[in-house]
Amino acid sequence: MSDPADLDRLLARAWAARARAYAPYSGFLVGAAVQGASGAIYTGCNVENASIGLTVCAERVAVFQAVLAGERALIAAAVVAASPAPPTLCGACRQVLREFAADLPLVCANQAGQRRVYRLGELLPDSFGPEAFQSVQPYFSLL
Ligand code: THU
């Protein structure tokens, strides 16, 4: 992911996904791509809903696609939008990414070609993750 070619490939997949965004209410089209530990890339776009509250962000759609394909660890992510500055991720998406990566490089880009590279740990410091349950017996196993 530190390789600029990898980063470009991830961004290109995110832009292609953005073309499928369903955002009739906000008009804010977002595309996302995540790379799994296998090396494969999964994409997502935002899917809005007339209820507004049931809208799902592009990043979460991409993560769920990765999980559906059998990935359990993510190694990189990209998010794109036609925003004045490179888009950043909402809190919910940061936490959902965190489930599958304690820290990962994340590139955000806008249509003007501006880019910003973060690490997830920087966007979600001192985060709560699956490790928190390591010493806890799952409730359902007690039944
Ligand atoms: N959105 C995303 O898809 N990802 C983000 O990180 C921020 C927001 C979407 C949700 C909604 O469809 C639209 O952008 C406006 O919030």
Side-chain angles (χ1 to χ4, degrees):
M1 177 64 188
S2 46
D3 183 343
D6 289 348
L7 198 133
D8 284 346
R9 200 161 57 102
L10 208 56
L11 283 170
R13 294 288 301 272
W15 282 116
R18 180 179 175 273
R20 297 266 164 88
Y22 175 73
Y25 306 107
S26 74
F28 190 69
L29 281 62
V30 185
V34 298
Q35 187 164 26
S38 74
I41 293 173
Y42 307 89
T43 60
C45 61
N46 51 334
V47 181
E48 297 190 344
N49 187 272
S51 73
I52 309 300
L54 291 178
T55 290
V56 182
C57 295
E59 297 90 323
R60 272 175 285 159
V61 173
V63 171
F64 298 157
Q65 294 266 42
V67 172
L68 179 62
E71 303 282 356
R72 284 294 181 273
L74 302 177
I75 60 171
V79 185
V80 301
S83 40
T88 181
L89 293 76
C90 82
C93 291
R94 294 175 193 201
Q95 183 66 37
V96 168
L97 277 166
R98 167 65 181 90
E99 186 72 18
F100 303 103
D103 196 18
L104 55 67
L106 229 154
V107 59
C108 300
N110 66 7
Q111 254 169 354
Q114 294 175 307
R115 284 181 188 187
R116 182 135 188 217
V117 179
Y118 302 94
R119 295 200 67 97
L120 184 59
E122 162 190 10
L123 296 180
L124 195 69
D126 300 325
S127 61
F128 184 77
E131 306 78 21
F133 290 93
Q134 258 162 17
S135 59
V136 177
Q137 193 165 15
Y139 173 73
F140 289 111
S141 73
L142 300 173
L143 298 178

